[in-house]
Amino acid sequence: MPLVVQKYGGSSLADADSIKRVARRIVDTRKAGNRVCVVVSAMGDTTDELLDLADAVSPDPPERELDMLLTAGERMSMALVSMAIANLGDSARSFTGSQAGVITDDVHGRARIIDVTPGRITEALDAGHIVIVAGFQGVSQNTKEITTLGRGGSDTTAVALAAALKADVCEIYTDVDGIFTADPRIVPTARKIDRITNEEMQEMAASGAKVLMLRCVEYARRFGMPIHVRSSFSHREGTWVYETQGEDDVEAPIIAGVAHDRSEAKITVVGVSDSPGQAASIFKAIAEQQINIDMIVQNVSAIATGRTDVSFTLPKTDGQRAVRVLQSVKAELGFEQLQYDDQIGKLSLVGSGMRSHPGVSATLFQALADSGINIEMISTSEIRVSVVTRDDQLDNAVRAVHTAFGLDAADGEAVVYGGSGR
Ligand code: ASP
Ligand code: MG
């Protein structure tokens, strides 16, 4: 019997009625002749609400306790979905991440899955049950503590379980009909993508597209697990994230889509002496704080002063820490001042056709120029061009670039079925 792993996101499980609707869908999948293992997220905005609660009792909650709190969200969902299935006359068993054998490293808040030992899941499936697993959580191999996988982590749970169970497919159910050429909340004319390579999807996710978590795509790529992203609110065919077989996919469009990201800030180190070792010292100080940086720009030095400015982007959540550490080594490094700017946005154009089609950057920059949008930083990879703009110009930038590359759908508007977009 084929094995299907399905994942339902928070917006598909927002209230009792949604849970009953999802339960019906799961039972139908099973009746169609499949074994079914389901991964659930927390209901609606539960995770954000739990974070708000934690914040209300402590400005700096211990990481261990935060993970204990957040994993409760997914446990509510798993039990409720199981009950709703039982009420339809089918049998379901729910399991926490730890019971399901999701083994992680010991980093609270953004643990990595290092192994999946799904013995209890296989047993329950063999006994004829539908299995419901709490997403976004695992247990640390070393410390035996409960961990969470980072925001959106249920996607990763689903793909990791699908790979470990050798499932035929991993279906990710969300509140839109699939993966779009841009976020339909910003670009109403965004078009649903039928097929996207996991290489492109990885770049889109890394560039801020939230429809799939980055780790989940990396995992799928590593294990060759096909993902079908689709809506739990319709029965339409969604988007297939597939593996390229090495050779170029001749039918693939040049551009897959436009992603955007508002989660980063920019730090400029002003007046760095233009001599060997300066960049190394700056980024060593940042790296020692385990902070990941994204784009880096160094200007040519002013001939008169022999000094230069170095700008880089990093997650806003690490911004203050980075500023503190750089301030603390200011005397040692000998730069003049620091500027911190969290009013930036990043737009990324992604497509594997860029490898063989010149002129993509020129079209992108022209589209921004025509809309009067200033570019503050640029970075590229083989299949991506990213630019930093002012935060309040980002939505316009995304729409302009989407149009310039002919991605607008001729017919109707993209449907967003649910979710608060929080
Ligand atoms: N509930 C968690 C979150 O909101 C995990 C997930 O939804 O995948 O980030
Ligand atoms: Mg969620």
Side-chain angles (χ1 to χ4, degrees), residues 17-29:
D17 282 339
S18 317
I19 288 176
K20 287 198 257 180
R21 197 173 43 80
V22 163
R24 161 66 50 211
R25 197 160 182 139
I26 295 168
V27 168
D28 287 347
T29 310

Side-chain angles (χ1 to χ4, degrees), residues 7 41-42 47 74 136 150-155:
K7 178 255 170 175
S41 289
T47 306
E74 271 68 14
F136 169 64
R151 298 309 306 270
S154 302
D155 292 348

Side-chain angles (χ1 to χ4, degrees), residues 215-329:
R215 286 257 176 86
C216 139
V217 188
E218 289 169 353
Y219 222 97
R221 207 172 163 188
R222 177 141 50 98
F223 290 94
M225 175 56 56
I227 305 179
H228 187 188
V229 181
R230 55 194 310 195
S231 168
S232 69
F233 297 81
S234 82
H235 282 276
R236 292 195 198 131
E237 181 86 358
T239 303
W240 284 90
V241 184
Y242 70 102
E243 209 180 359
T244 33
Q245 304 302 332
E247 75 271 16
D248 272 352
D249 186 342
V250 281
E251 279 165 50
I254 301 172
I255 300 300
V258 187
H260 73 276
D261 191 352
R262 286 197 153 83
S263 67
E264 295 188 346
K266 178 170 82 171
I267 290 180
T268 303
V269 191
V270 180
V272 181
S273 130
D274 193 8
S275 55
Q278 290 297 316
S281 310
I282 293 172
F283 292 108
K284 181 160 165 272
I286 299 290
E288 278 169 359
Q289 297 293 310
Q290 304 293 320
I291 296 173
N292 273 322
I293 51 165
D294 181 17
M295 296 188 184
I296 304 175
V297 171
Q298 177 181 329
N299 298 332
V300 283
S301 65
I303 297 163
T305 61
R307 287 182 173 266
T308 175
D309 296 346
V310 177
S311 297
F312 62 94
T313 62
L314 76 176
K316 272 181 195 166
T317 44
D318 292 329
Q320 293 309 326
R321 215 151 44 90
V323 168
R324 273 198 302 274
V325 64
L326 287 176
Q327 287 295 6
S328 72
V329 294

Side-chain angles (χ1 to χ4, degrees), residues 108-421:
H108 284 291
R110 52 188 162 91
R112 271 178 184 275
I113 298 178
I114 50 184
D115 197 10
V116 182
T117 50
R120 294 192 67 181
I121 307 288
T122 330
E123 263 171 44
L125 287 170
D126 289 347
H129 302 296
I130 294 171
V131 171
I132 316 291
V133 177
F136 169 64
Q137 54 186 274
V139 60
S140 156
Q141 190 168 47
N142 297 329
T143 63
K144 307 291 179 238
E145 297 290 3
I146 297 299
T147 52
T148 60
L149 308 179
R151 298 309 306 270
S154 302
D155 292 348
T156 308
T157 307
V159 172
L161 267 178
L165 295 167
K166 304 203 166 37
D168 295 276
V169 62
C170 180
E171 298 183 327
I172 307 266
Y173 283 93
T174 179
D175 52 6
V176 287
D177 278 321
I179 295 161
F180 281 76
T181 48
D183 184 343
R185 290 184 171 87
I186 291 181
V187 185
T189 51
R191 193 188 294 167
K192 195 197 85 197
I193 301 171
D194 294 333
R195 285 155 50 85
I196 185 168
T197 67
N198 47 26
E199 182 191 32
E200 287 170 321
M201 194 57 230
Q202 200 171 328
E203 288 276 6
M204 293 278 283
S207 305
K210 290 202 200 65
V211 59
L212 284 181
M213 194 209 195
L214 175 59
R215 286 257 176 86
C216 139
V217 188
E218 289 169 353
Y219 222 97
R221 207 172 163 188
R222 177 141 50 98
F223 290 94
M225 175 56 56
I227 305 179
H228 187 188
V229 181
R230 55 194 310 195
S231 168
S232 69
F233 297 81
S234 82
H235 282 276
R236 292 195 198 131
E237 181 86 358
T239 303
W240 284 90
V241 184
Y242 70 102
E243 209 180 359
T244 33
Q245 304 302 332
E247 75 271 16
D248 272 352
D249 186 342
V250 281
E251 279 165 50
I254 301 172
I255 300 300
V258 187
H260 73 276
D261 191 352
R262 286 197 153 83
S263 67
E264 295 188 346
K266 178 170 82 171
I267 290 180
T268 303
V269 191
V270 180
V272 181
S273 130
D274 193 8
S275 55
Q278 290 297 316
S281 310
I282 293 172
F283 292 108
K284 181 160 165 272
I286 299 290
E288 278 169 359
Q289 297 293 310
Q290 304 293 320
I291 296 173
N292 273 322
I293 51 165
D294 181 17
M295 296 188 184
I296 304 175
V297 171
Q298 177 181 329
N299 298 332
V300 283
S301 65
I303 297 163
T305 61
R307 287 182 173 266
T308 175
D309 296 346
V310 177
S311 297
F312 62 94
T313 62
L314 76 176
K316 272 181 195 166
T317 44
D318 292 329
Q320 293 309 326
R321 215 151 44 90
V323 168
R324 273 198 302 274
V325 64
L326 287 176
Q327 287 295 6
S328 72
V329 294
K330 184 169 183 236
E332 200 181 312
L333 297 185
F335 59 84
E336 282 159 13
Q337 55 158 301
L338 280 183
Q339 287 166 357
Y340 180 71
D341 178 358
D342 60 6
Q343 304 297 305
I344 61 163
K346 183 175 76 171
L347 173 152
S348 300
L349 184 68
V350 174
S352 43
M354 278 181 206
R355 284 201 181 94
S356 46
H357 288 79
V360 169
S361 305
T363 308
L364 167 66
F365 300 152
Q366 190 61 51
L368 295 173
D370 292 346
S371 304
I373 294 163
N374 189 38
I375 301 171
E376 301 182 18
M377 291 170 110
I378 302 171
S379 84
T380 61
S381 84
E382 232 187 314
I383 64 163
R384 173 184 53 80
V385 186
S386 302
V387 297
V388 167
T389 68
R390 283 294 91 203
D391 182 17
D392 58 8
Q393 292 189 315
L394 183 62
D395 289 1
N396 275 339
V398 172
R399 286 188 280 264
V401 170
H402 195 265
T403 304
F405 282 90
L407 297 173
D408 292 328
D411 53 339
E413 300 214 330
V415 189
V416 179
Y417 297 95
S420 62

